[in-house]
Amino acid sequence: MRNIKLTIEYDGTSYKGWQIQQKRPEEIGTEKTIQGVIERVISGILQEEIRLIGAGRTDAGVHALGQVGNFKTKSKMPMAVMQRALNALLPKDIIIVDIEEAKPDFNSRFNARLKTYRYQILNRDYSTAFDRLYQNHVPYKLDAKLMAREARVLVGRRDFKSFQAADKKVRNSIRNIRRISVRKDGPIINIDLEANGFLYNMVRNIVGTLIEIGRGKLPPGSMKKILRVKDRTEAGPTAPAKGLCLLRVRY
Amino acid sequence: MRNIKLTIEYDGTSYKGWQIQQKRPEEIGTEKTIQGVIERVISGILQEEIRLIGAGRTDAGVHALGQVGNFKTKSKMPMAVMQRALNALLPKDIIIVDIEEAKPDFNSRFNARLKTYRYQILNRDYSTAFDRLYQNHVPYKLDAKLMAREARVLVGRRDFKSFQAADKKVRNSIRNIRRISVRKDGPIINIDLEANGFLYNMVRNIVGTLIEIGRGKLPPGSMKKILRVKDRTEAGPTAPAKGLCLLRVRY
């Protein structure tokens, strides 16, 4: 068996997220997911039932520039041929940007060391005609410097209980954020987060909180306080999915 | 009467171009144009029949970052209020980025001194999930340096007969290209053209010819020859609309 590693770019706008949903029988096949669409195309090309593992299970509407996936196959098809066949048959909003043969025990999910997400905010009065599906338009003035300062307390091994989705709690909510940056470039504010792993909705909940701080609805010092109380209700709202993009996964 | 100048950004993907089409009565209202949609929204806001003049009549599928338009109105509505109302009521793929009161005799079409168009090519094996509606994906290798060299002969006051649409000939096909640049930035090739005016399809025909030269289907020196023969059939095909964007108009 060969183990094939894919680097995948996608516009998540029209998908119910990465992962195939476990559904009641009558619902099976009604929800379009990135994983589902790619699995079906690969299985068709290789004439073999394949199972695709993904590094990050991105939500509905979340995008990726460098999602990583892997699958096992008996096929001997050359990599370049497989990539061309995939890109020819996949919908135009999913692209295989790289393909390579990995070691037999490589697992794109469990071997991921670092994942980097970017959240993009368009901060000006009016929206944009072009990147409106990839940016969260925030019309009120945000203080990016203050947001950057507040974000710093999140770096390190911390309990992110305050930022996990209320309905998807896990027992261990400790994660290690290696880097977080808030940078302003004209009307764009990019928030980059790099961690060994993220809780469900963690990035969007952190961003939602930073936006509340940046517009003055929460006072300076709030991030530190929210982190300490370990209570989701103290943090800001979940920022919209469309501003979020999985940039890369490191192994 | 006030004369209002608008700077307009739009994603032209779902429009039949800028201009309202002159149609047989039974077809009126069936084709969605940028001009038509904006006129209807302004007329609704101001409760007054208005007529919008545009600087450049972009084709179906062509985009704009800095289209300019103007209209006359009796309304005394403040500019900021009008801009907010417009952006609230316009579809999300049309944005009013700027609004100001112009001199009474300002005409966005006839007073335009310089228009700058950008044509964007994605030059690599695989496409992209994100900007696929704003870039022309060319999978075969292009020689951008050669294209830049060939493009130089187009600068100046020239007869662009070879590059005008076969079915939309005008008597005077002389135009003045002030600047043309071909720049490669990673997998992206940007072709910028600045002129006092353009013939119908001229930019797309020039780009189509440059692509043929860049991939080696036409030999070096072709641009000079094509310009000289004044024959549309000698030039390359019309490049797809989606790669083209009206960047700005100078007065």
Side-chain angles (χ1 to χ4, degrees):
Chain A
M1 292 286 269
R2 290 155 90 202
N3 191 6
I4 312 294
K5 179 186 173 196
L6 303 176
T7 306
I8 310 157
E9 178 182 307
Y10 50 81
D11 172 346
T13 308
S14 16
Y15 296 89
K16 297 277 174 192
W18 168 265
Q19 202 181 14
I20 295 169
Q21 308 291 319
Q22 295 295 352
K23 288 280 165 193
R24 282 169 296 171
E26 68 273 22
E27 291 176 325
I28 283 172
T30 59
E31 294 203 328
K32 199 173 67 160
T33 65
I34 314 277
Q35 183 192 16
V37 167
I38 302 178
E39 276 189 0
R40 205 152 48 235
V41 170
I42 302 178
S43 298
I45 292 171
L46 304 180
Q47 291 296 304
E48 184 185 338
E49 202 61 43
I50 75 102
R51 201 92 199 118
L52 182 66
I53 299 165
R57 286 169 293 175
T58 56
D59 267 348
V62 173
H63 317 288
L65 269 171
Q67 170 74 285
V68 175
N70 75 292
F71 65 94
K72 304 277 178 86
T73 176
K74 286 177 231 146
S75 162
K76 293 185 169 61
M77 190 182 284
M79 292 292 91
V81 176
M82 206 185 284
Q83 182 179 16
R84 233 169 307 144
L86 275 164
N87 282 330
L89 294 173
L90 282 168
K92 291 196 186 310
D93 48 13
I94 303 179
I95 308 276
I96 306 301
V97 299
D98 200 20
I99 187 168
E100 57 180 309
E101 206 164 327
K103 289 187 182 146
D105 60 347
F106 171 77
N107 180 303
S108 57
R109 183 169 170 210
F110 295 115
N111 297 159
R113 249 186 346 102
L114 273 180
K115 287 177 207 160
T116 309
Y117 279 93
R118 167 166 294 175
Y119 197 93
Q120 199 162 64
I121 295 169
L122 176 64
N123 188 32
R124 66 177 181 196
D125 289 352
Y126 52 93
S127 179
T128 168
F130 296 99
D131 290 327
R132 63 189 192 280
L133 302 172
Y134 317 123
Q135 297 173 345
N136 175 20
H137 175 221
V138 177
Y140 28 77
K141 185 107 190 76
L142 295 176
D143 182 341
K145 276 186 190 155
L146 173 61
M147 290 160 74
R149 242 183 350 259
E150 289 282 311
R152 260 185 243 146
V153 302
L154 301 173
V155 176
R157 220 178 116 79
R158 305 262 182 273
D159 187 342
F160 290 98
K161 202 169 198 159
S162 294
F163 300 101
Q164 76 175 326
D167 58 338
K168 299 221 178 169
K169 286 179 189 156
V170 290
R171 203 176 297 169
N172 177 4
S173 49
I174 292 171
R175 294 293 181 277
N176 190 351
I177 292 190
R178 299 284 291 272
R179 194 174 64 83
I180 176 163
S181 70
V182 180
R183 271 167 314 177
K184 194 168 158 58
D185 181 13
I188 305 291
I189 297 175
N190 282 318
I191 304 177
D192 288 5
L193 287 110
E194 199 168 86
N196 62 339
F198 294 92
L199 301 166
Y200 188 76
N201 269 2
M202 176 173 150
V203 177
R204 290 164 58 194
N205 290 338
I206 288 175
V207 170
T209 307
L210 284 173
I211 290 173
E212 296 291 273
I213 294 172
R215 66 183 289 204
K217 281 196 92 177
L218 289 172
S222 291
M223 198 53 104
K224 196 173 178 176
K225 198 191 122 218
I226 292 165
L227 192 66
R228 198 176 48 219
V229 295
K230 298 188 181 63
D231 178 358
R232 173 70 189 93
T233 63
E234 292 291 313
T238 308
K242 66 175 186 171
L244 187 59
C245 182
L246 174 54
L247 283 191
R248 62 179 164 267
V249 185
R250 292 247 164 82
Y251 292 92
Chain B
M1 294 284 269
R2 288 155 91 203
N3 190 6
I4 313 292
K5 179 185 172 197
L6 303 175
T7 305
I8 310 158
E9 179 181 304
Y10 50 81
D11 172 346
T13 307
S14 16
Y15 295 88
K16 295 281 174 190
W18 168 265
Q19 201 180 15
I20 294 169
Q21 308 291 319
Q22 294 297 350
K23 286 282 166 195
R24 282 169 296 171
E26 69 272 23
E27 290 177 325
I28 283 173
T30 58
E31 295 204 328
K32 198 173 67 160
T33 65
I34 315 278
Q35 183 192 15
V37 167
I38 302 178
E39 276 189 359
R40 205 152 48 234
V41 170
I42 303 178
S43 299
I45 292 170
L46 304 180
Q47 291 296 304
E48 184 185 339
E49 201 61 43
I50 76 101
R51 200 92 200 120
L52 181 66
I53 299 164
R57 286 169 292 174
T58 55
D59 267 347
V62 172
H63 316 289
L65 269 171
Q67 170 75 284
V68 176
N70 74 292
F71 65 94
K72 303 277 177 83
T73 176
K74 285 178 232 145
S75 162
K76 292 184 170 60
M77 190 182 283
M79 293 291 92
V81 176
M82 206 186 283
Q83 183 179 16
R84 234 170 306 143
L86 274 165
N87 282 330
L89 294 173
L90 281 168
K92 292 195 186 311
D93 48 13
I94 303 179
I95 307 277
I96 306 301
V97 299
D98 200 19
I99 188 166
E100 57 180 310
E101 206 164 328
K103 291 187 181 144
D105 60 346
F106 171 77
N107 180 303
S108 58
R109 183 169 170 210
F110 295 116
N111 297 158
R113 246 183 352 98
L114 273 180
K115 288 177 205 158
T116 308
Y117 278 92
R118 168 165 294 175
Y119 196 93
Q120 198 162 65
I121 296 168
L122 175 64
N123 188 31
R124 66 177 182 195
D125 290 352
Y126 52 94
S127 180
T128 169
F130 295 99
D131 291 325
R132 63 189 191 281
L133 302 173
Y134 317 122
Q135 297 174 345
N136 175 19
H137 174 222
V138 176
Y140 28 78
K141 184 109 189 73
L142 296 177
D143 183 341
K145 276 187 188 152
L146 173 62
M147 289 161 74
R149 238 177 2 250
E150 289 282 312
R152 260 185 242 146
V153 302
L154 301 172
V155 177
R157 219 178 117 78
R158 304 262 181 272
D159 187 342
F160 290 99
K161 203 170 198 158
S162 294
F163 300 101
Q164 76 174 325
D167 58 338
K168 299 220 179 169
K169 286 179 187 155
V170 290
R171 205 176 295 167
N172 177 3
S173 49
I174 291 171
R175 294 292 181 278
N176 190 351
I177 292 190
R178 298 284 291 271
R179 194 174 64 83
I180 175 164
S181 71
V182 180
R183 271 167 315 178
K184 195 168 156 61
D185 180 12
I188 305 291
I189 297 175
N190 282 319
I191 305 177
D192 287 5
L193 286 110
E194 197 168 85
N196 62 339
F198 294 92
L199 301 166
Y200 187 75
N201 270 2
M202 177 173 149
V203 178
R204 290 165 58 194
N205 290 339
I206 288 174
V207 169
T209 306
L210 285 173
I211 291 173
E212 295 291 272
I213 294 171
R215 67 184 287 205
K217 281 196 91 178
L218 287 173
S222 292
M223 198 52 104
K224 195 172 179 178
K225 199 192 122 218
I226 292 164
L227 192 66
R228 199 176 49 218
V229 295
K230 300 188 180 62
D231 177 358
R232 173 69 188 96
T233 64
E234 292 291 312
T238 308
K242 67 174 187 173
L244 189 59
C245 182
L246 174 54
L247 283 191
R248 62 179 162 269
V249 185
R250 293 247 163 82
Y251 292 93

